[in-house]
DNA sequence: GTGGGTGTTTAGAATGATTCAAAACCTCAA
DNA sequence: TTGAGGTTTTGAATCATTCTAAACACCCAC
């Protein structure tokens, strides 16, 4: 079901891992491939289920480990909504998330630079931002397909 | 330690609860008073500790219940940062949160209307927003006192 | 090729915030 | 006085995540 990584993606993975002195492993490849295959912000458990289709022996702990490693490398982002299970996103462009309450689905919302600039300008002096998280929640009316991928 | 609610605050509480067909109780008064007394975005447990000073028999479950009720009434907001314990905020003005990684403290950042308008304008048609959450995280340099209250 | 050393994976146990269940309690109106 | 309905309390249950320790895999020096 899940495609293997192409050369370009393999390179990205290898390079990102190398930064933190870490290596490519079969498990990491599978987990990364799962994230790229369907960019629907899966939970750890969803990643686990999908990854097991190509690697049945894979353990949940490893999925946690891989994802944590990727986040550390800046390869993927964690997405949290309230107290729900953490979801993962391989979209590296600056973007916000929209959580549809009816379906539970999470959609990427592109963020123009000027918005981030404006937001940073709201901070009192002395506040140094490392990251800004923006998340919407609501519903998506009709408008046929909002499929993430 | 914690002041009682003044008349105005009591009225706000009573009115907000009435909306959901709920009543003022001594426990709810104490919990609400704790939130107003120190607007430092306490966790449930912190609220619990503080509330027990004026009402020793109070239980943790009740604190959870009260806070959930308040959120339902729109009296207070939940504040989540990554997977940390939920914090509570009685500031009803639209605002974002800045989480200082070094101290763990959470600061309110005022949000001008135009920022929210701009953000909403980023959504594709068909997306209906119910709420927008904005949270910064980083560090606060020198700049003496960033005490929330 | 053999034996470590190092980082990775695995299974299962532990943790901890939150939720749930059921009994005790209160308030108010009949 | 009784009883219904909502609230509080205690303790147990849940469940995502983290931790622990043992098994593995890879690499290099001998
Ligand atoms: Mn590239
Ligand atoms: Mn008022
Ligand atoms: Zn995303
Ligand atoms: Zn706040």
């Amino acid at each position: 079901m899940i495609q293997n990584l192409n050369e370009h993606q393999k390179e990205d993975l290898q390079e990102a891992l190398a930064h933190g002195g870490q290596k490519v492993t079969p498990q990491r490849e599978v987990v990364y491939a799962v994230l790229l295959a369907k960019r629907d912000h899966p939970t750890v458990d969803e990643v686990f289920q999908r990854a097991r289709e190509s690697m049945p022996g894979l353990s949940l702990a490893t999925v946690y480990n891989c994802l944590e490693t990727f986040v550390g490398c800046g390869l993927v982002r964690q997405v949290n909504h309230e107290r729900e299970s953490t979801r993962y996103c391989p979209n590296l462009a600056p973007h916000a998330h929209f959580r549809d309450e009816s379906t539970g689905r999470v959609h990427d919302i592109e963020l123009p630079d000027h918005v981030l600039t404006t937001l940073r300008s709201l901070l009192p002096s002395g506040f140094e931002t490392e990251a800004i998280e923006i998340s919407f929640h609501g519903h998506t009316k009709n408008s046929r397909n909002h499929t993430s991928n």
Side-chain angles (χ1 to χ4, degrees), chain A:
Chain A
M1 193 85 270
I2 285 100
Q3 302 303 308
N4 285 342
L5 298 174
N6 66 34
E7 283 317 311
H8 179 65
Q9 297 168 330
K10 239 174 190 147
E11 229 177 76
D12 284 351
L13 177 60
Q14 134 75 40
E15 227 176 282
L17 287 170
H19 268 215
Q22 278 145 126
K23 301 188 218 147
V24 177
T25 67
Q27 289 85 347
R28 284 170 180 168
E29 284 189 354
V30 169
V31 171
Y32 190 48
V34 164
L35 292 177
L36 295 182
K38 192 147 175 266
R39 298 158 157 264
D40 61 349
H41 305 88
T43 61
V44 175
D45 224 74
E46 286 164 344
V47 172
F48 181 47
Q49 304 304 339
R50 295 177 197 175
R52 274 219 283 202
E53 281 169 31
S54 20
M55 184 181 272
L58 184 69
S59 78
L60 179 59
T62 298
V63 175
Y64 273 100
N65 292 340
C66 292
L67 291 170
E68 180 184 49
T69 301
F70 296 163
V71 171
C73 294
L75 249 192
V76 312
R77 283 173 52 183
Q78 281 187 315
V79 180
N80 289 293
H81 266 92
E82 330 242 297
R83 301 234 96 229
E84 294 181 1
S85 316
T86 300
R87 296 173 176 277
Y88 291 83
C89 172
N91 178 353
L92 296 179
H95 66 281
H97 291 104
F98 183 100
R99 165 102 206 295
D100 183 337
E101 308 269 305
S102 338
T103 65
R105 274 210 279 255
V106 175
H107 304 272
D108 283 350
I109 306 294
E110 286 189 42
L111 282 182
D113 284 349
H114 74 85
V115 172
L116 292 170
T117 307
T118 306
L119 281 170
R120 262 189 289 270
S121 77
L122 299 174
L123 297 173
S125 77
F127 284 65
E128 314 225 318
T129 306
E130 235 158 59
I132 306 182
E133 296 270 302
I134 301 173
S135 63
F136 299 81
H137 74 264
H139 301 271
T140 61
K141 278 264 183 316
N142 63 83
S143 284
R144 230 29 73 230
N145 43 10
H146 292 314
T147 51
S148 308
N149 211 317

